[in-house]
Structures are given as C-alpha cells and as structure tokens.
Amino acid sequence: MTTDNGITFVNVVDVDPARQAELVALLQEGAERVIRHRPGFVSLTLLASADGSRVVNLARWRSADDVRATQADPAAAEYAARTAAIANARPGLYTVAAQYDA
Amino acid sequence: MTTDNGITFVNVVDVDPARQAELVALLQEGAERVIRHRPGFVSLTLLASADGSRVVNLARWRSADDVRATQADPAAAEYAARTAAIANARPGLYTVAAQYDA
C-alpha cells in the first residue's frame, strides 16, 4: 500500500441515461477548453456508468487552493452551471486514503 | 485525450462523518485481504472526502467478468455486507470515457 498527499476533486453526477452521452461531451469540452489549462492541474478521468445513470469526474490537482481557484474561474463556473442544467452534481474535495496496484 | 477499454468498479459510499475513518479502515482491510488477490485485479484507490461524509472506492479490473466473479466471492460479499452495515454504498461498473494528463 502507498499513500500520497495529492488532492482529488471528485464530482459524482447523476443523470438521466438518455442524456449521459450529452453530459460526457459537455465534461470533455470543459476539460479540454478550461480545466486542463488551469494552474496545478495534474490529470482528469471521466468515468461513465454502464447503466447510463451516472458520470464520475475525477481530477487530480497539486493543491486544494488550485481547485478553489479553478472553481472561482468564470470559465469553469460556466461549465459547472451547464452541468447543473442537465444533471445533478455532487462535487467535493478528497484525499487519497490508500492505493493498491497489482 | 486518450481512452481505453478498461473496466472500473466505482463505489460511492455515503457515511456519517463520525464513522468515515472506520469505513476507510474496513475498505482497506477488504482490499488487502481479498480484492487485491482476485484474478483480473489491476489497481484500487480509496478516496476520502475532506468533509468526512463520503468515501469513493475506485477499482480497475481487466474485465467486467472479473468484477462479477469478485462480487460473487463469499469473502468479498462479507466485506460488502460489513460496509452496508455502517454506510450507504452505491456500487457500479464504469468505463473510462476520457483521460487527460498534464
């Protein structure tokens, strides 16, 4: 087991399965146009549930301050608002409690 | 952007913040004793929310069949039952829709 002190922003987004593809496309656009260019960005993974009802957005950052500065960025806030218009988002800050690799 | 066809098991677990540490310890024990030894296991990350109310368990697997076989394993089912006794779990199968790296 290894641990690190990296900060992860996790957004668990519930969505009508009929709109999951639209939601994924919107989150991809936000990642490509805004998030990946922000200071402190490390990586972002979009996970789409097989049942269509959820998308999980995982973004690693250098620090919690980098996340907060991104959330305050008007361009990022616009994508958050567009997400909220078509889905139910529950964003939050997380730390890695444990990591195991095969 | 890159994508792959890897299967990710995501378990979003809501918990009373007073029991988050207990939940993390239980999920660590299950990972160490059972999950990491299962066929098809690739990696597992436990994320603990800063507000204490949630833990996200992300496990990468070679295939969806490996996940289903693990869920059918009595030792894994015991940990799932112990998790359900102290928290509210929402497990599901996901695919990686997009990946971005700095």
Side-chain angles (χ1 to χ4, degrees), chain B residues 11 23 25-27 29-31 33-35 38 57 69-87 89:
Chain B
N11 197 359
L23 174 63
L26 176 63
L27 295 171
E29 183 185 306
R33 294 195 183 170
V34 180
I35 304 301
R38 292 282 319 171
N57 181 0
T70 295
Q71 290 177 311
D73 181 296
E78 182 198 322
Y79 279 100
R82 289 173 63 188
T83 299
I86 64 169

Side-chain angles (χ1 to χ4, degrees), chain A residues 15-26:
Chain A
V15 64
D16 182 331
R19 304 192 80 167
Q20 189 193 41
E22 178 187 357
L23 174 62
V24 167
L26 176 62

Side-chain angles (χ1 to χ4, degrees), chain B residues 88-101:
Chain B
N88 180 28
R90 299 193 304 166
L93 278 179
Y94 292 67
T95 54
V96 176
Q99 172 74 40
Y100 306 87
D101 296 287

Side-chain angles (χ1 to χ4, degrees), chain A residues 1 14 28 31-32 41-50 54 56 90 93-102, chain B residues 12 14 28 31-32 41-50 54 56 58 90 93-102:
Chain A
M1 187 187 91
D14 289 309
Q28 286 181 336
E32 289 171 11
F41 173 78
V42 176
S43 67
L44 187 149
T45 305
L46 288 178
L47 294 165
S49 72
R54 205 168 297 149
V56 176
R90 300 192 306 165
L93 277 180
Y94 292 67
T95 54
V96 176
Q99 171 74 40
Y100 306 88
D101 295 288
Chain B
V12 179
D14 288 309
Q28 286 181 337
E32 289 171 12
F41 173 78
V42 177
S43 67
L44 187 150
T45 305
L46 288 179
L47 295 165
S49 72
R54 203 168 298 149
V56 176
L58 298 159
R90 299 193 304 166
L93 278 179
Y94 292 67
T95 54
V96 176
Q99 172 74 40
Y100 306 87
D101 296 287

